[in-house]
Each structure stands twice: as structure tokens, then as C-alpha cells.
Amino acid sequence: MELLSPAGNVEKLKYAYMYGADAAYIGLKKFSLRVKADNFYEDEYNKVIELKKRYPEKKLHCALNIAFHNREIDAFMQNIDYFKQYPIDAFIVQDLGMVPILQKHFPDVHLHVSTQASCMNREAVKIYQKLGFDRVVLGREVSLNEVREIKDAVPEMEIECFVHGAMCIAYSGRCLMSAYLTGRSAQSGFCSHTCRWEYDLGVLENPARTQILDAAMAKEIAQSGSLVLQERKRPGEFFPVYEGDDFTALLSSKDLRMIEHLDDMKKAGVDSLKIEGRMKSIYYVALVTRAYRKALDALEGKLSQEEAAPFIASLDEVAHRESTTGFFYSRTEADKTTVGASDSPYALAGQVGARLSDQEAEAAFKTGAQMAAARKAELAAMHPAARAAAEKDCAEHPEKCPVALEKRAGWKLYHYNSLNKTDEKTELEIITPDTLKTVLSGSDYIFANPKKGTVIPFVNPDHDCAIYTAADIPQDALVRTKDADFVSGAVRFTGR
């Protein structure tokens, strides 16, 4: 089975490939359902081309999955020569109006039916096959039994299914609620995730006497048909709620997680396993891709279940909500809801770059030694009282007095791309595609400014910085730190 990972920008595409994806899916500006993702534009096709050369066996899928208006068709046609510069292997489409256009201008590129098309039965799959599609991304409402039936009926059609990530309460993700509340259409890529907001439960007697209920009162009238929802920041706007004999799901769904059931998906005839998350972080893309890669490798006998287990367990270290198997086994599982934003016990601190050459490192040490010598001479030339005052000021405010970076036997200097403020002595964990984690205690590394040859007490995203350590760290390794505010077992409300 193919492992297909999300890539909201070039960096995420690189990490999807690095951490084990067989293919990745991107979006082009204005034509993807994740317009808030960075997506791809301007001359980024050059970077994508270089990545494809670096990973020639990897595939690139492009989501053109919005519902097109006439003006958007016109805009696509005006930019078609630009899109041809991307090394795209397949387009993911829901709007049939795009099919003849893509077939004409991209004759060698495969067509995949988007999950937004809500394709969930064998007869629809047969129609899409006749139209020239090579693959269908089935709607998330299908069961594994239905997947098997579809594959048996149309064995030539590739079947792709989501296996991990956020789910949507709307049918195949076709949400109208976002547009209603905020004017931001999910079908045009502007989903505001209204299903994740905080609502109060009430009963609508008449607009002048609407009462917000506590839990006990709401339970008494749960099946009366007169319950309503009110979003806290939009008083006076009510959503009717009805609960029948069976449990009815409302709003925020659990996250999909099928990593423990990949064998069942293979037996059902799934050809491609799709991870949701083009708006998620590099950290999410890397660790989720890595976990599913190891699980697939174990399924295929490339490594043992015991070897794969810790990588699978690391999914709990990525931002996530409570998980479910969705509709694959039982509708009841899909109906179970949750609260709160996705959460993680870790924060992504940075990325390790290339190791500085011996010449570059020596230049940094030399610059630092010259700085220290100049400072020493300056102090020596001072009046004793002035020197004492200067030394006291340094002791009280060490940030004013840079410390020279000194050479240590066996240590290496690496470029470091800081993504979050990190203080010196913070415990760091190094993440790579094949290493679960390597822990660096506060004494195992030094942050430095390689241009000035100085030790720095903390790093920020805007700093020119390096990390100096005895550890062997591959280029592009991720660095994470523990989130001090994380509470195990509790999902924090971290905002919208």
C-alpha cells in the first residue's frame, strides 16, 4: 500500500518524503480546500523539482478540489502554463468540469477523484473510471466492507482512504456551517472550523425568552426536539438540536486513527493510505508519517512489530484529539464526539542544519578568541574602580558580556534553525526518520553565534545561531522540547 502524506509547503513536502511517505499531496494557491495552508506559488516549483530529483521514486499529487466557479476556471486557465512547471503525478479533483481541461493540458498526469465528491458506491466508481480517473479517494463514510465490495466490482480502480487525522461532521467534509456563521466557505477552502467552537445548550421558547440550560435541565428535555445550540460569541443565533432513540453526534468529531488496523485495510483492497493535515506542522507531518511508515514496514515484514511499536506509540506525542476508527467498522464509532483543541506534550524547537566545515568552525573560534582578548585588554586599561564596576555589571547582567566559544575535543558545530525561543540548558530531543529520539541534556550542547564566535544564552527564530555538541546529528533533524504546561490525559482549550 502507498503511504500518502500532506504537504502544506515545500518544507513539509521535504519532511513527508524524508520520513517515509511514498507520495505527498500539495495544493496550489486559490485552487485547494486548504487555502490557509501555505500552499505553493511563485517559483517554488524549482524547489519541488529538486526534491523530486532527490527522491525520484516519490510521487507528487496536487489537490484541485475546490468547487469551481466560472471565475476560478478562468483564473486556472490563465495560470495553466505556470502549473505545468510543477512535476505533478496526479490531480485530485471533485469538480467534473475540470476533467476535460486537465486531460487536454496534462495528458500524462493521472486523475484522482477527491473525497469531496462523496464517491461511496461501486456504480459511481464505474462512472469515474469511464471518465478517465485512475483512483478514487472514497468518502469517509464508507465501511471496510463497502471498500471490499467496491474493489471487487472495479478491481482496476485504485482505492485511496483517509487513515489518520481530523474528521469533519459534514458529509464528506462538505460543510455549510462555516459559510453560514462567518461567510467563509469550506468549499472554497476557507473553513473556519466552526465545529470546534464552544457552544451553550439552550431551549428556544421564543426569541425574547431563550434560556441557556445547565446539564441537568438539558438532559430532561434531550428528546423533546426543542433544544438549540448557541455559539458563545454569537448570541441570538440558534441551531436546533434533535436527539432520537439513538445517540446523535454534535459538532466536534474525534480524530481518525487506523494505524492498528492496516492489515484490515489491505485485505479490504485499499491501495493508498492518506494522512490528513496540510495545515498541520512539520513536526506533525514528520512523526505521523514516520509512525505509519514503520507500521507498514512491519506489516510487510521489513521490520518486526517490536521494532515498530515505539514509533507507533509516538503518535501520542503529536497534537491530536481522542481517536476513533471512524465509519470503517461501525457508525457508532463515528458518532462519538469530543471537546477541546488538539494537543501535544512537545513543542517543536528547531531544525538542525548542515555541519559547519572545519574551516568555518575554526573561524568562529578565532573570532571568539579575538573578542575575548579585546575585552580583556579593555578591562586591563581601565581604572581599578571602573574595572570593578564593569565586572560587577557583567556578573549581574551576563547578556551584556558575550562569552567566547571555545573549542572542545570531539564536539561539532551545526547550523541551527530556531523555530521557537529556547533557553540554554533546556533538555532537547533530536528526532530523525529512523531514531525515535536522542536526548541532549543541558550540559550536552551549547548555543552559539557562529559569526561572532560567542556563546548565546537562548535562541530565537530571528537569531543567527548554531548548536555545538558531541552528538552526531544528521542534517534536517528536528529538535523538540517538552511543553511545561501539558497535562497528561487532559486536552487543553488552546484557542481556535
Side-chain angles (χ1 to χ4, degrees):
M1 291 185 289
E2 173 189 82
L3 179 58
L4 177 60
S5 292
N9 57 34
V10 173
E11 276 290 285
K12 294 175 187 177
L13 178 61
K14 178 177 72 174
Y15 279 92
Y17 286 161
M18 280 179 58
Y19 280 70
D22 299 302
Y25 60 102
I26 67 172
L28 297 177
K29 278 291 187 188
K30 301 179 182 179
F31 302 105
S32 159
L33 281 182
R34 291 295 179 267
V35 294
K36 289 180 71 179
D38 293 344
N39 289 321
F40 291 74
Y41 56 96
E42 295 179 355
D43 63 348
E44 287 186 331
Y45 57 85
N46 290 318
K47 298 177 182 177
V48 177
I49 290 170
E50 289 305 310
L51 274 176
K52 286 274 281 181
K53 289 179 179 177
R54 181 176 169 184
Y55 299 99
E57 74 284 4
K58 309 283 188 179
K59 300 296 184 182
L60 181 69
H61 302 176
C62 177
L64 292 176
N65 54 352
I66 66 168
F68 281 79
H69 290 268
N70 289 332
R71 63 182 180 274
E72 288 156 341
I73 292 279
D74 294 339
F76 180 83
M77 294 301 297
Q78 291 169 6
N79 289 277
I80 205 160
D81 288 336
Y82 166 73
F83 298 145
K84 287 181 179 180
Q85 297 177 94
Y86 282 87
I88 295 169
D89 296 294
F91 285 114
I92 307 168
V93 184
Q94 71 151 316
D95 195 321
L96 292 181
M98 290 298 294
V99 173
I101 295 173
L102 295 173
Q103 288 173 330
K104 177 181 178 180
H105 294 280
F106 301 87
D108 298 323
V109 178
H110 295 281
L111 292 181
H112 296 175
V113 182
S114 170
T115 189
Q116 299 295 128
S118 302
C119 182
M120 287 175 287
N121 65 75
R122 59 180 177 267
E123 300 307 318
V125 173
K126 291 175 184 177
I127 293 295
Y128 282 116
Q129 185 184 40
K130 291 179 181 178
L131 290 173
F133 284 88
D134 304 283
R135 177 183 296 186
V136 57
V137 187
L138 292 176
R140 301 191 198 196
E141 294 78 12
V142 296
S143 68
L144 283 180
N145 287 335
E146 290 173 313
V147 173
R148 178 73 270 170
E149 292 170 355
I150 291 170
K151 189 66 175 180
D152 287 344
V154 198
E156 302 86 6
M157 181 69 90
E158 293 182 358
I159 301 296
E160 180 177 306
C161 292
F162 279 94
V163 292
H164 196 90
M167 298 261 292
C168 181
I169 60 158
Y171 198 75
S172 289
R174 296 187 297 180
C175 178
L176 302 179
M177 190 173 177
S178 175
Y180 175 76
L181 281 179
T182 67
R184 291 164 51 183
S185 170
Q187 285 300 284
S188 294
F190 291 97
C191 182
S192 53
H193 299 280
T194 50
C195 60
R196 311 291 183 191
W197 294 356
E198 301 170 41
Y199 292 86
D200 296 314
L201 188 64
V203 57
L204 186 62
E205 297 176 352
N206 64 61
R209 295 198 307 121
T210 298
Q211 180 183 8
I212 301 301
L213 306 179
D214 60 27
M217 296 171 65
K219 185 176 181 180
E220 292 179 3
I221 60 168
Q223 295 185 350
S224 69
S226 58
L227 292 178
V228 296
L229 288 179
Q230 173 183 272
E231 209 280 321
R232 290 181 180 177
K233 293 186 178 180
R234 291 167 176 78
E237 294 187 41
F238 303 105
F239 291 85
V241 177
Y242 177 77
E243 295 195 5
D245 294 333
D246 297 324
F247 175 76
T248 300
L250 293 177
L251 304 182
S252 186
S253 59
K254 292 184 177 183
D255 283 358
L256 181 63
R257 173 177 168 142
M258 287 293 289
I259 198 165
E260 290 86 5
H261 309 282
L262 300 187
D263 189 40
D264 287 350
M265 302 202 74
K266 183 177 182 179
K267 291 174 180 176
V270 176
D271 297 287
S272 181
L273 306 174
K274 189 169 192 173
I275 298 169
E276 178 275 337
R278 276 189 290 133
M279 292 178 64
K280 301 287 180 66
S281 68
I282 290 172
Y283 178 70
Y284 171 94
V285 171
L287 263 70
V288 175
T289 299
R290 185 181 70 173
Y292 276 83
R293 177 76 274 150
K294 300 302 182 185
L296 275 173
D297 287 348
L299 182 63
E300 296 168 0
K302 296 178 181 178
L303 74 165
S304 69
Q305 292 290 345
E306 291 73 21
E307 289 171 315
F311 293 97
I312 295 171
S314 71
L315 282 178
D316 291 333
E317 299 169 353
V318 179
H320 64 285
R321 299 177 181 88
E322 293 178 280
S323 64
T324 175
T325 54
F327 293 84
F328 284 121
Y329 294 104
S330 167
R331 168 69 183 267
T332 302
E333 277 299 305
D335 282 347
K336 294 178 181 177
T337 59
T338 187
V339 296
S342 58
D343 208 1
S344 169
Y346 290 94
L348 182 60
Q351 300 160 289
V352 178
R355 178 180 172 181
L356 275 70
S357 67
D358 292 342
Q359 293 81 4
E360 290 172 320
E362 288 298 332
F365 299 135
K366 183 178 179 180
T367 302
Q370 291 172 340
M371 179 275 298
R375 177 60 176 168
K376 183 177 180 180
E378 181 184 359
L379 288 172
M382 289 181 179
H383 183 279
R387 182 166 60 250
E391 290 172 343
K392 180 181 178 182
D393 189 45
C394 274
E396 294 176 350
H397 304 282
E399 70 278 4
K400 296 182 180 180
C401 306
V403 176
L405 180 65
E406 297 180 347
K407 189 173 184 178
R408 297 190 181 190
W411 282 45
K412 285 86 65 177
L413 199 57
Y414 301 89
H415 289 292
Y416 184 73
N417 177 29
S418 174
L419 300 175
N420 279 304
K421 182 179 182 295
T422 307
D423 295 322
E424 62 180 352
K425 306 302 180 185
T426 301
E427 183 177 273
L428 306 179
E429 295 187 6
I430 311 298
I431 306 298
T432 73
D434 295 306
T435 304
L436 191 65
K437 64 180 179 181
T438 300
V439 179
L440 298 183
S441 68
S443 61
D444 291 332
Y445 71 92
I446 294 170
F447 285 133
N449 183 322
K451 291 185 177 179
K452 296 182 177 179
T454 57
V455 174
I456 50 180
F458 64 90
V459 291
N460 265 334
D462 59 347
H463 279 181
D464 188 356
C465 55
I467 186 168
Y468 191 40
T469 177
D472 292 319
I473 307 177
Q475 186 173 340
D476 295 320
L478 296 177
V479 180
R480 71 184 184 187
T481 56
K482 292 180 180 177
D483 186 340
D485 296 325
F486 177 78
V487 178
S488 179
V491 179
R492 291 175 289 179
F493 287 86
T494 55
R496 296 173 188 165

